[in-house]
Amino acid sequence: MYHESDYLLLSGLQHLRFCTRQCALIHIEQQWTENFFTASGRVLHEKVHSGITESRKVVRTERSLKIASSTLGLTGQTDAVEFYTDGRIIPVEYKNGKQKTDTCDEVQLCAQAMCLEEMLETTINEGALFYFKTRKRIVVPITATLREETMLLAKQFHALVANGITPEAVYTNKCKSCSLTECCFPESAGKGKSVSGYIKRQLGKEVGSADFEEE
C-alpha cells in the first residue's frame, strides 16, 4: 500500500513498458518533447477529454474521471468509462496509432481497471482500446496474467523513480518513433560508440567536411 504523497502518474507504466530510459527521462528528469505522433495524439485526446457524459439505452459513458490506487501507488485520468445497466464497467483507452505488438497499451488499461475496482469496490473483467488510425475497438480481457504484469511494472516504476538514476541508452527500432530522441542520444549507444563521437558525427553532417581552426 502506498501513501497518496507517493503516487506516480499511471501513464508511466506505458512509458516503462516501452522503454525504461524513456520512462526515466520523463518521470525523473522531467523531460518531454513532441513529435508528429505525440502532437496528433494530444489533439485527439483533447477531444476525448471533453468531460461530457453520454447516455444511451443500456450504457452511460463518463469521461475524464480522476482515478487512483493505493495498491499500485498510481493516479491518473481515464479517457472514458462505460457503465452498463447490467452492472458491467468497461474502461476505454483511446490511442492515436494502431495496435502494438507488445503490451504497452494493455498494462495502462489494466491499471485503470484496477484503480476503478479499488475505488468502486467491484470487479472489472474487460476493457477496450480504440485506435484512431485503424478505427478499431479491441476488447482486452483483464486476465490474471495481465494483472500480474501490471503490478510488477508498478513496483518497478516506483523503484526506478526512488533510485533516481536514468539508465544508459540502448538503440532499438522503437527509437525511430520516440519523441525524446533529441535528448536521449540513443544512436550513441552500443559497443565502440560514445556521446562525443555521436556529437562529432552530427556536427559533421551540419557543416560538411570544413575544418575549423581556433582564432
Side-chain angles (χ1 to χ4, degrees), residues 109-190:
L109 183 66
C110 182
Q112 292 178 11
M114 293 175 72
C115 286
L116 289 166
E117 286 180 331
E118 187 174 316
M119 294 172 67
L120 302 176
E121 298 183 348
T122 188
T123 299
I124 296 176
N125 297 315
E126 68 179 47
L129 293 168
F130 182 87
Y131 291 93
F132 286 105
K133 185 173 183 177
T134 58
R135 308 300 296 179
K136 287 185 178 180
R137 172 171 167 144
I138 299 172
V139 175
V140 179
I142 308 300
T143 64
T145 300
L146 184 57
R147 289 173 186 272
E148 289 175 5
E149 182 181 9
T150 302
M151 292 184 68
L152 178 60
L153 280 171
K155 291 179 180 178
Q156 293 175 344
F157 185 24
H158 278 276
L160 177 70
V161 173
N163 181 268
I165 298 176
T166 300
E168 294 182 357
V170 177
Y171 185 80
T172 68
N173 286 332
K174 293 189 293 186
C175 296
K176 298 175 182 178
S177 62
C178 180
S179 66
L180 296 180
T181 301
E182 293 300 320
C183 56
C184 176
F185 299 112
E187 292 181 355
S188 69

Side-chain angles (χ1 to χ4, degrees), residues 7 17 51 58 66 101 154 166 202:
Y7 285 2
R17 182 64 179 81
V58 297
K66 303 293 184 181
T101 56
T166 300
Q202 296 305 306

Side-chain angles (χ1 to χ4, degrees), residues 186-206:
E187 292 181 355
S188 69
K191 185 177 180 180
K193 296 182 179 180
S194 67
V195 173
S196 61
Y198 170 77
I199 293 175
K200 289 178 181 178
R201 289 195 299 275
Q202 296 305 306
L203 287 174
K205 290 178 183 178
E206 294 180 6

Side-chain angles (χ1 to χ4, degrees), residues 74-134:
L74 300 174
T75 185
Q77 178 175 275
T78 64
D79 284 345
V81 182
E82 298 173 343
F83 294 86
Y84 289 81
T85 53
D86 62 6
R88 287 180 298 145
I89 299 175
I90 299 180
V92 183
E93 178 69 13
Y94 291 80
K95 294 298 180 184
N96 180 39
K98 58 184 179 179
Q99 187 175 13
K100 300 177 179 63
T101 56
D102 58 27
T103 57
C104 284
D105 297 338
E106 283 81 357
V107 294
Q108 182 181 8
L109 183 66
C110 182
Q112 292 178 11
M114 293 175 72
C115 286
L116 289 166
E117 286 180 331
E118 187 174 316
M119 294 172 67
L120 302 176
E121 298 183 348
T122 188
T123 299
I124 296 176
N125 297 315
E126 68 179 47
L129 293 168
F130 182 87
Y131 291 93
F132 286 105
K133 185 173 183 177
T134 58

